[in-house]
């Protein structure tokens, strides 16, 4: 399956073989064997191109998540059964449920992992974490997601900004401001924006605040995150008329570890 995905990605047997560090005839034989097992042609080849057939496209849609799940399983097994990793987004506190889980299971190493908007789900899919406290929206496919709480969202501004000092603002007040984060996280801004979002890479909260303080633009954060990262050169105001940020606990749906439900219960009690 890994060989198939490599060929599908490169659309070229030679380049795929080079990536896999195998001879091209070996790769061709493996693909023919897979096609024989599936009783379907996966690639259409001629002298100029290698293209996926309809059957190949259907297989590719399932093959990549299947391989990712297998690699995540390998990582969890290599990590050992005596470790449980809790991932969390900035501003969210997991101290109490983590401490209680350690008390209940003295032989269990309960560890924490800080995430960002971009990897809060990825750490589950690749096996780095067992559970993740996430901020919606996320891609929920293949996950169990349990709602925990919600909180207002605020806009973070430079201390000298024209809106600084206002207790609350409307999203339309921010239409001309440049957003310094993935606009998918702030759909309400995208609906009214009159400027494009600043093309910035995936930034940690501290980096976002540095850019806000420097006057490059604004960010929209959950209230707990904004208050946790207090600094004198930025300020924040609540945003009227937009939904709260939803906080949930997520894990890979196919897993059946009783520790998942146990931690979810501990977290719910501490919320």
């Amino acid at each position: 399956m890994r060989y198939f995905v490599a060929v599908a990605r490169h659309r070229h047997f030679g380049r795929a073989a080079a990536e896999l560090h195998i001879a091209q005839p070996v790769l061709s034989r493996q693909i023919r064997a897979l096609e024989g097992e599936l009783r379907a042609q996966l690639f259409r080849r001629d002298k100029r191109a290698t293209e996926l057939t309809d059957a190949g496209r259907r297989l590719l849609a399932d093959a990549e998540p299947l391989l990712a799940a297998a690699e995540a399983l390998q990582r969890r097994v290599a990590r050992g059964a005596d470790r449980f990793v809790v991932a969390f987004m900035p501003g969210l506190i997991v101290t109490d449920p983590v401490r209680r889980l350690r008390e209940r299971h003295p032989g269990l190493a309960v560890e924490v992992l800080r995430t960002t908007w971009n990897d809060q789900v990825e750490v589950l899919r690749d096996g780095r974490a067992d559970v993740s406290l996430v901020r919606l929206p996320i891609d929920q496919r293949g996950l169990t997601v349990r709602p925990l709480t919600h909180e207002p969202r605020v806009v973070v501004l430079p201390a000298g900004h024209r809106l600084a000092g206002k207790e609350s603002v409307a999203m339309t007040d921010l239409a001309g401001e440049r957003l310094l984060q993935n606009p998918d996280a702030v759909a309400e801004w995208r609906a009214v924006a009159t400027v494009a979002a600043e093309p910035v890479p995936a930034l940690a909260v501290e980096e976002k605040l540095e850019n806000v303080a420097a006057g490059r633009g604004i960010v929209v954060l959950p209230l707990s995150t904004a208050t946790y990262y207090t600094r004198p050169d930025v300020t924040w105001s609540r945003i009227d008329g937009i939904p709260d940020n939803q906080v949930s606990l997520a894990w890979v749906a196919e897993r059946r570890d009783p520790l998942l439900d146990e931690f979810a219960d501990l977290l719910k009690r501490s919320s």
Side-chain angles (χ1 to χ4, degrees):
M1 194 68 72
R2 188 171 288 108
Y3 290 175
F4 162 74
V5 170
V7 177
R9 185 171 62 251
H10 287 285
R11 299 294 201 271
H12 193 280
F13 275 74
R15 289 192 291 269
E19 176 190 299
L20 296 165
H21 303 292
I22 62 174
Q24 184 172 334
V26 174
L27 177 58
S28 296
R29 285 197 298 271
Q30 291 294 324
I31 295 300
R32 285 197 299 271
L34 179 61
E35 290 177 324
E37 185 176 343
L38 297 176
R39 298 180 182 178
Q41 182 182 356
L42 302 176
F43 295 101
R44 190 175 294 107
R45 303 172 66 181
D46 58 34
K47 292 182 179 180
R48 291 185 295 180
T50 298
E51 297 294 338
L52 284 163
T53 62
D54 289 343
R57 282 189 288 271
R58 288 194 296 271
L59 179 60
L60 182 61
D62 290 331
E64 291 181 314
L66 179 63
L67 286 176
E71 290 167 0
L73 177 61
Q74 286 179 319
R75 185 175 279 115
R76 288 196 297 268
V77 171
R79 195 171 71 213
D82 57 349
R83 288 178 64 201
F84 189 82
V85 180
V86 178
F88 64 97
M89 285 282 283
L92 301 179
I93 307 299
V94 296
T95 308
D96 185 62
V98 165
R99 177 178 56 80
R100 291 179 181 276
L101 192 65
R102 286 172 178 154
E103 291 172 349
R104 289 187 177 191
H105 303 273
L108 183 68
V110 185
E111 302 174 2
V112 294
L113 174 66
R114 181 182 180 277
T115 61
T116 68
W117 166 265
N118 296 282
D119 68 357
Q120 59 177 335
V121 168
E122 197 62 32
V123 296
L124 298 173
R125 302 198 196 280
D126 66 17
R128 281 179 286 162
D130 295 283
V131 294
S132 183
L133 272 79
V134 299
R135 295 189 183 277
L136 302 187
I138 61 171
D139 179 359
Q140 300 190 24
R141 289 176 297 178
L143 300 178
T144 294
V145 179
R146 291 193 181 177
L148 292 173
T149 187
H150 57 87
E151 59 179 308
R153 288 184 287 168
V154 302
V155 59
V156 184
L157 308 160
H161 193 274
R162 62 184 175 83
L163 297 174
K166 289 184 174 291
E167 183 176 342
S168 64
V169 299
M171 188 58 75
T172 52
D173 295 329
L174 306 174
E177 303 292 335
R178 196 171 299 279
L179 191 69
L180 300 177
Q181 65 199 110
N182 186 334
D184 290 342
V186 195
E188 299 85 359
W189 174 87
R190 175 175 265 171
V192 300
T194 59
V195 298
E198 181 78 9
V200 294
L203 300 177
V205 175
E206 297 88 345
E207 294 169 311
K208 290 176 181 176
L209 296 181
E210 283 290 337
N211 281 283
V212 171
R216 288 188 63 191
I218 64 169
V219 295
V220 175
L221 298 175
L223 177 60
S224 63
T225 306
T227 55
Y228 185 83
Y229 291 92
T230 300
R231 48 186 291 170
D233 49 4
V234 301
T235 184
W236 56 264
S237 300
R238 291 181 184 244
I239 305 174
D240 291 332
I242 67 171
D244 286 353
N245 174 245
Q246 176 68 53
V247 178
S248 299
L249 183 69
W251 63 83
V252 175
E254 63 190 20
R255 295 192 60 192
R256 297 294 181 266
D257 188 340
L259 285 173
L260 301 170
D261 288 308
E262 184 177 354
F263 184 78
D265 291 339
L266 289 173
L267 192 59
K268 192 70 174 177
R269 291 179 205 172
S270 67
S271 298

